[in-house]
Amino acid sequence: MSVRYTIENNEEANIRPSKTFQSFVVAAGGHRELNFIEKDVRNYITREVRNVLEQEDAKEFGKYLLRMKEKNQNFFFELELKDDQSIKLAFWADARSRAACEYFGDVISFDTTYNTNRYNLVYGSFIGVNHHDQSTLLGRALMKNEDIESFKWLFQCWLCCMGGNAPKGILTDQYALMQRTIEACMPTTIHR
């Protein structure tokens, strides 16, 4: 129990797992005196400590989305959690993005090239281009998996948010994976 307590405290204090393990080695009088290795410390952090933090952060993210909705009724969000209460899928668009979509949502780009490291979530963004040829953020998403079901959920949220108005064209970076999803959700949209 004291080892677990030390690992948890050190992780919260942002002390690297290698330093935590070295402190155990010194306290025990050498590597041979321990019945675990550094990899066990890292696995414990990943499995136990960060999982709890991920669940807490998911709750806080949900509270944040609710606060934004309370401040402005035109704020839109959908949030789907996994069984362990961590984020599976999230989509949100503020009032400004929704209004901009009415003017600049004819052709949009959906990009998922950004990947967050801490929770292994993929960040996706819906982008339009305004009349000054400037990029305009129209919506955001977080996804645990980049699969057909996740994209289907996401595009259905997009359509619900934008009043059922599908764009005339959409550009994506994953042509094969999204082709079927876009055809199912937005059959009149041209996909490139």
Side-chain angles (χ1 to χ4, degrees):
M1 288 302 291
S2 66
V3 170
R4 291 179 182 181
Y5 183 72
T6 302
I7 293 170
E8 291 168 9
N9 283 339
N10 287 359
E11 177 65 15
E12 189 173 323
N14 291 322
I15 297 172
R16 294 191 323 248
S18 60
K19 295 282 187 189
T20 299
F21 179 71
Q22 286 303 318
S23 70
F24 292 132
V25 170
V26 170
H31 287 89
R32 292 186 178 152
E33 303 302 319
L34 291 176
N35 60 356
F36 58 91
I37 60 174
E38 185 178 337
K39 182 70 174 168
D40 295 328
V41 173
R42 292 180 186 280
N43 287 343
Y44 179 77
I45 290 169
T46 301
R47 187 179 61 248
E48 301 295 331
V49 178
R50 289 193 180 151
N51 190 35
V52 170
L53 293 174
E54 186 174 349
Q55 293 167 0
E56 290 299 315
D57 286 348
K59 286 180 192 174
E60 288 303 315
F61 182 63
K63 289 178 186 177
Y64 167 78
L65 293 174
L66 286 171
R67 281 194 309 271
M68 294 301 292
K69 180 71 173 176
E70 288 172 2
K71 287 181 182 179
N72 188 332
Q73 290 301 311
N74 285 328
F75 183 85
F76 180 93
F77 77 93
E78 290 289 334
L79 180 63
E80 187 173 314
L81 302 176
K82 294 178 11 180
D83 292 337
D84 67 356
Q85 299 304 304
S86 62
I87 296 172
K88 179 179 179 184
L89 295 161
F91 171 80
W92 69 101
D94 60 19
R96 181 176 288 173
S97 295
R98 294 178 77 186
C101 189
E102 289 182 32
Y103 296 104
F104 313 119
D106 288 345
V107 177
I108 63 170
S109 169
F110 178 69
D111 187 25
T112 59
T113 58
Y114 305 101
N115 191 348
T116 60
N117 292 329
R118 184 168 185 177
Y119 300 122
N120 200 25
L121 291 170
V122 175
Y123 174 77
S125 57
F126 291 89
I127 306 289
V129 177
N130 68 17
H131 53 278
H132 298 291
D133 291 331
Q134 298 168 328
S135 297
T136 304
L137 187 60
L138 304 176
R140 302 164 190 95
L142 290 173
M143 299 180 293
K144 194 66 169 179
N145 298 310
E146 288 185 278
D147 57 20
I148 291 174
E149 288 303 313
S150 296
F151 287 126
K152 187 174 181 183
W153 181 90
L154 183 61
F155 290 136
Q156 288 172 341
C157 287
W158 166 264
L159 287 172
C160 183
C161 174
M162 301 307 170
N165 298 323
K168 292 179 178 138
I170 186 168
L171 306 168
T172 65
D173 60 344
Q174 299 177 18
Y175 183 81
L177 182 62
M178 291 195 200
Q179 182 67 33
R180 288 184 284 160
T181 308
I182 292 170
E183 286 174 356
C185 296
M186 300 180 276
T188 60
T189 300
I190 298 169
H191 177 229
R192 298 277 183 238

